[in-house]
């Protein structure tokens, strides 16, 4: 029995040991996988547990120009420990070619772990060396705006779709605060945007073979109205991008720095083909797509002077808004009113879909049978690249009761006959009467007269009162200083106030406002902003010790908010404290 128990303890110990070892991660990360021979490469060997006796690879084909730099990050978030240790090297290529960064080794809990080898390509020298530590370069290399065109060689009036995608690599992050600088005008196109209404879904995808995240900013449906080469103007955005810097916080994690980059989707050119002339029907009116066609009436039997509705409808997918419906030919004995048009169209990523119709109101005048000959509708189908013609059925309208015409029914004509009006029909109606009121009001002793007379007695005392208040306000030195201090504090804290409902953005804006205020008042850089140095400088400028303590407390609140949750009441309290503190500093500052 004792032997079985010992065996179980040993098995449990081995399982726990293997589980602990399986959690060790040790890998090599490159700042770029392809670089010019005149550029620099950063290699980070990162592990998630502490280790000793680190041994770097030989870095064949490279010269070490910096490192190893060691960084440790150890933090507790929601009761979970997060640890990382990184050895960084900066390398200069010695020649062109494909190279392999060999395995580094580390000893963790008595076990030796090795990082997997990684490959890198060194090309000829580039015109402008790409600095892997430069924030602007990293931002431009990791965020891309792409315009994807569904069809670069459409027919005239055939729908194409332009999808604008913003690709962002996992090395940087952006917010939704981008703004459009240039919006495409789409000359020579009929266009309609499909708006995302601010709901940007994040997708996983590939850009140049690398893993990226992307959002679809906009989808635009275009119908070319000319043949030949047409230009699609670029969409240009100003995007704030957070890039990892070389600096680290107290816990060893890399700090992020924000840069604004202007990115463009670039011009796109499409070649529009003309519609073929061979087989083109005579009644073709420019419809391109896939359609159905029908002509219907709400009734075919009625009496004279009653009305019926005749409806001509085209439905399907295509350029529904860009062509005319075929007209209906009616006999002269039928009174026909101008048709009303009804469009029920939705624009989707594939183009316009729905129906367009024209509704005729018809009133027969005499008894008899009135045939409506079939009408045809022709369209071009870009999928089969052929013209197609649809025809309606013949409709016979039977007027059962009513007067009988004594004149033989003449040939048919289009719609109703216009009413001819004589040019002198309304000659006896006088349009310009030039009437004048019988009773006239004199200006003298009128309300306007007395108002003008009394105006100086009201306006002059008012100006004197305003002038006295203005002079008193200018002489109030302390009051002016207080108002100036409050305005200055609110100026720096304006961005933080806009984000009171967003904890992360609020404290980021508040910290930036406090730093900018110190830069303006003390003429110091961010790197000099230690709490001790700030306290010393403010004390030298005769700022009260309690006010200095409030300012330092605000900086600590900003740091604390990154790692722990705070209530909405705390956010409002910190904002009010910030306004009061900056105002107090500005009043006491000498």
């Amino acid at each position: 029995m004792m032997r079985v128990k010992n065996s179980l303890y040993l098995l449990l110990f081995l399982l726990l040991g293997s589980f602990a070892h399986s959690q060790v991660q040790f890998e090599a990360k490159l700042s770029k996988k392809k670089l010019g021979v005149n550029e620099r490469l950063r290699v980070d060997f990162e592990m998630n547990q502490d280790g000793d006796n680190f041994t770097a690879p030989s870095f064949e084909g490279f010269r070490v120009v910096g490192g190893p730099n060691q960084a440790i990050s150890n933090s507790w978030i929601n009761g979970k420990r997060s640890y990382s240790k990184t050895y960084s090297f900066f390398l200069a290529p010695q020649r062109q070619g494909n190279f392999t960064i060999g395995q580094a080794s580390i000893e963790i809990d008595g076990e030796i772990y090795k990082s997997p080898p990684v490959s890198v390509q060194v090309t000829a020298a580039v015109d402008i060396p790409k600095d892997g530590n430069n924030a602007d370069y990293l931002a431009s290399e990791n965020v891309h705006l792409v315009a994807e065109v569904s069809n670069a060689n459409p027919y005239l009036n055939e729908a194409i779709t332009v999808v604008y995608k913003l690709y962002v690599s996992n090395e940087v992050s952006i917010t939704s605060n981008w703004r459009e600088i240039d919006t495409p005008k789409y000359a020579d196109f009929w266009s309609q945007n499909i708006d995302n209404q601010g709901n940007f879904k994040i997708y996983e995808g590939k850009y140049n073979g690398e893993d990226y995240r992307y959002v679809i900013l906009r989808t635009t449906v275009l119908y070319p109205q000319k043949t030949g080469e047409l230009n699609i103007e670029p969409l240009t955005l100003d995007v704030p991008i957070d890039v990892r810097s070389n600096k680290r916080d107290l816990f060893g994690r890399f700090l992020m720095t924000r840069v604004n980059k202007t990115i463009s989707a670039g011009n796109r050119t499409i070649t529009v083909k003309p519609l073929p002339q061979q087989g083109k029907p005579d009644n073709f009116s420019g419809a391109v797509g896939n359609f159905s066609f029908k002509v219907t009436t709400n009734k075919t039997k009625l009496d004279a002077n009653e009305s019926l509705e005749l409806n001509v409808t085209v439905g399907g997918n295509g350029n529904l808004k860009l062509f005319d419906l075929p007209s209906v030919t009616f006999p002269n004995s039928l009174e026909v009113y101008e048709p009303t048009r009804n469009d029920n169209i939705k624009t989707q990523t594939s183009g316009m879909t729905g129906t367009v119709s024209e509704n005729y109101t018809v009133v027969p005048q005499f008894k008899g049978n009135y045939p409506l000959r079939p009408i045809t509708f022709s369209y071009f189908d870009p999928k089969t690249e052929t013209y197609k013609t649809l025809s309606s059925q013949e409709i016979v309208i039977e007027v059962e009761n009513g007067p009988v015409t004594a004149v033989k029914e003449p040939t048919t004509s289009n719609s109703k006959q216009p009413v001819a009006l004589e040019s002198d029909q309304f000659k006896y109606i006088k349009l310009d009467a030039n009437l004048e009121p019988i009773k006239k009001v004199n200006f003298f002793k009128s309300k306007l007269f007395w108002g003008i007379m009394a105006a100086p007695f009201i306006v002059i005392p008012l100006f004197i009162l305003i002038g006295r208040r203005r002079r008193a306000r200018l002489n109030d030195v302390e009051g002016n200083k207080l108002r100036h201090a409050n305005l200055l504090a609110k100026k720096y804290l304006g961005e933080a106030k806009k984000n009171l409902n967003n904890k992360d953005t609020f404290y980021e804006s508040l910290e930036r406002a406090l730093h900018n205020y110190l830069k303006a008042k003390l003429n110091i850089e961010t790197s000099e902003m230690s709490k001790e140095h700030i306290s010393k400088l403010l004390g030298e400028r005769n700022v009260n010790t309690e006010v200095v303590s409030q300012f330092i407390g605000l900086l600590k609140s900003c740091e604390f908010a990154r790692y722990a949750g705070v209530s909405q009441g705390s956010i409002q309290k910190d904002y009010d404290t910030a306004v009061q503190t900056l105002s107090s500093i500005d009043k006491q500052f000498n």
Side-chain angles (χ1 to χ4, degrees):
M1 186 66 182
M2 184 62 68
R3 183 178 298 174
V4 173
K5 186 181 291 185
N6 292 336
S7 300
L8 289 175
Y9 284 147
L10 178 60
L11 178 61
L12 181 61
F13 178 79
L14 293 174
L15 288 174
L16 290 174
S18 63
F19 177 78
H21 288 307
S22 65
Q23 300 304 307
V24 176
Q25 295 180 358
F26 182 41
E27 58 183 345
K29 296 182 178 180
L30 304 180
S31 61
K32 62 190 80 174
K33 294 183 179 180
K34 183 179 180 180
L35 71 156
V37 72
N38 58 336
E39 295 184 273
R40 296 294 180 265
L41 175 69
R42 188 183 73 243
V43 183
D44 294 333
F45 295 97
E46 186 174 315
M47 64 205 74
N48 65 344
Q49 293 189 25
D50 194 12
D52 299 308
N53 301 324
F54 173 79
T55 303
S58 61
F59 298 118
E60 182 182 354
F62 294 88
R63 178 170 54 88
V64 179
V65 295
N69 299 330
Q70 180 178 325
I72 296 176
S73 172
N74 190 10
S75 62
W76 290 86
I77 300 176
N78 296 328
K80 291 185 178 181
R81 179 174 179 262
S82 175
Y83 178 88
S84 69
K85 186 176 184 180
T86 305
Y87 290 91
S88 300
F89 294 83
F90 295 89
L91 310 178
Q94 294 180 315
R95 61 183 183 277
Q96 300 181 39
N98 294 317
F99 299 94
T100 299
I101 305 296
Q103 294 179 307
S105 63
I106 190 74
E107 181 180 347
I108 300 176
D109 294 334
E111 295 286 339
I112 302 298
Y113 293 88
K114 294 185 177 181
S115 64
V118 289
S119 299
V120 61
Q121 182 184 1
V122 179
T123 64
V126 295
D127 293 336
I128 301 176
K130 300 175 181 178
D131 184 0
N133 298 313
N134 182 271
D136 287 331
Y137 167 71
L138 290 175
S140 61
E141 287 295 300
N142 288 280
V143 179
H144 309 277
L145 181 60
V146 177
E148 296 182 356
V149 180
S150 61
N151 184 3
N153 189 216
Y155 279 101
L156 181 69
N157 263 316
E158 180 184 1
I160 63 173
T161 305
V162 183
V163 180
Y164 294 96
K165 295 181 179 180
L166 184 64
Y167 285 88
V168 182
S169 79
N170 296 317
E171 299 297 323
V172 300
S173 62
I174 64 173
T175 66
S176 59
N177 295 327
W178 60 73
R179 63 183 181 89
E180 290 189 14
I181 298 177
D182 288 328
T183 302
K185 300 299 188 297
Y186 304 115
D188 303 320
F189 293 92
W190 181 95
S191 64
Q192 183 165 336
N193 293 327
I194 300 177
D195 193 3
N196 290 329
Q197 298 179 347
N199 299 321
F200 298 108
K201 184 178 178 181
I202 299 175
Y203 301 90
E204 298 291 334
K206 296 281 187 180
Y207 181 83
N208 289 340
E210 300 290 337
D211 291 328
Y212 271 75
R213 299 160 293 160
Y214 71 90
V215 293
I216 298 177
L217 299 182
R218 177 184 300 164
T219 302
T220 304
V221 177
L222 303 177
Y223 285 87
Q225 301 299 294
K226 288 175 59 178
T227 60
E229 290 190 353
L230 301 184
N231 182 53
I232 298 178
E233 296 180 357
L235 174 66
T236 304
L237 304 177
D238 178 72
V239 183
I241 306 171
D242 292 328
V243 183
R244 189 177 76 171
S245 67
N246 291 326
K247 298 180 180 179
R248 297 176 183 263
D249 60 15
L250 295 175
F251 300 97
R253 293 173 299 187
F254 284 103
L255 296 175
M256 304 297 286
T257 181
R258 175 163 292 184
V259 296
N260 280 68
K261 295 295 292 182
T262 299
I263 58 176
S264 175
N267 284 292
R268 298 296 303 271
T269 301
I270 66 169
T271 304
V272 182
K273 299 179 289 188
L275 300 178
Q277 294 298 317
Q278 184 177 1
K280 183 176 181 179
D282 293 336
N283 65 336
F284 177 71
S285 60
V288 177
N290 186 17
F291 302 104
S292 61
F293 174 64
K294 61 180 180 180
V295 179
T296 58
T297 60
N298 63 340
K299 53 187 173 182
T300 56
K301 293 183 179 180
L302 70 164
D303 294 334
N305 293 319
E306 288 185 13
S307 65
L308 65 88
E309 304 293 329
L310 184 140
N311 186 269
V312 180
T313 302
V314 173
N317 301 314
N319 59 335
L320 289 164
K321 296 181 180 180
L322 304 176
F323 60 82
D324 295 325
L325 293 176
S327 59
V328 184
T329 302
F330 295 91
N332 286 339
S333 296
L334 300 178
E335 184 178 359
V336 183
Y337 293 89
E338 289 294 332
T340 58
R341 185 179 175 104
N342 181 35
D343 294 348
N344 183 17
I345 302 172
K346 293 182 179 179
T347 303
Q348 303 173 340
T349 55
S350 58
M352 287 185 274
T353 182
T355 60
V356 292
S357 61
E358 286 185 346
N359 194 64
Y360 295 82
T361 299
V362 182
V363 181
Q365 302 296 311
F366 302 100
K367 179 180 179 180
N369 294 333
Y370 300 93
L372 302 180
R373 298 183 181 278
I375 60 176
T376 58
F377 169 71
S378 298
Y379 66 93
F380 179 76
D381 188 345
K383 292 184 177 179
T384 61
E385 299 184 340
T386 57
Y387 290 97
K388 296 181 180 180
T389 300
L390 305 176
S391 179
S392 66
Q393 300 293 323
E394 182 179 55
I395 298 175
V396 178
I397 299 174
E398 300 179 17
V399 182
E400 297 176 335
N401 299 306
V404 179
T405 178
V407 183
K408 184 179 179 180
E409 182 66 34
T411 58
T412 59
S413 62
N414 290 335
S415 72
K416 68 173 186 177
Q417 295 296 321
V419 179
L421 299 177
E422 297 182 8
S423 59
D424 60 347
Q425 183 173 359
F426 301 102
K427 67 180 181 179
Y428 299 106
I429 299 177
K430 188 173 183 180
L431 301 178
D432 265 334
N434 295 325
L435 301 177
E436 294 182 359
I438 297 175
K439 184 179 179 181
K440 295 184 178 180
V441 179
N442 294 322
F443 174 74
F444 183 70
K445 293 186 178 181
S446 66
K447 292 182 180 180
L448 179 60
F449 172 82
W450 292 117
I452 294 174
M453 293 294 293
F457 299 97
I458 298 174
V459 174
I460 292 174
L462 185 62
F463 275 107
I464 294 173
L465 179 62
I466 294 173
R468 288 178 179 176
R469 289 190 176 182
R470 182 173 179 274
R471 285 193 297 271
R473 187 181 179 93
L474 292 175
N475 293 329
D476 184 9
V477 177
E478 290 298 325
N480 287 334
K481 190 173 183 180
L482 176 61
R483 284 188 289 273
H484 177 74
N486 288 333
L487 288 175
L488 187 62
K490 291 179 180 179
K491 169 188 173 184
Y492 280 95
L493 296 171
E495 184 180 356
K497 185 177 181 181
K498 295 177 183 176
N499 298 290
L500 284 173
N501 295 324
N502 188 323
K503 184 203 77 171
D504 294 335
T505 309
F506 168 78
Y507 280 103
E508 180 181 300
S509 302
L510 179 60
E511 186 176 28
R512 188 162 52 247
L514 296 177
H515 285 181
N516 288 338
Y517 180 82
L518 288 179
K519 288 181 180 179
K521 299 298 290 185
L522 301 176
N523 194 24
I524 61 175
E525 297 299 325
T526 305
S527 58
E528 303 176 58
M529 290 185 185
S530 66
K531 296 180 181 62
E532 295 77 13
H533 190 52
I534 293 171
S535 300
K536 178 183 176 182
L537 292 177
L538 291 177
E540 292 174 354
R541 295 303 184 95
N542 297 327
V543 178
N544 188 281
T545 305
E546 182 181 351
V547 176
V548 175
S549 299
Q550 289 178 349
F551 190 92
I552 299 302
L554 286 172
L555 292 176
K556 292 180 179 179
S557 295
C558 293
E559 295 174 356
F560 177 78
R562 297 177 184 167
Y563 313 108
V566 294
S567 66
Q568 188 64 35
S570 299
I571 293 176
Q572 183 64 49
K573 181 180 178 182
D574 286 340
Y575 173 77
D576 295 337
T577 303
V579 174
Q580 180 183 358
T581 303
L582 294 191
S583 178
S584 299
I585 292 175
D586 199 66
K587 287 186 291 183
Q588 299 173 14
F589 195 90
N590 289 324

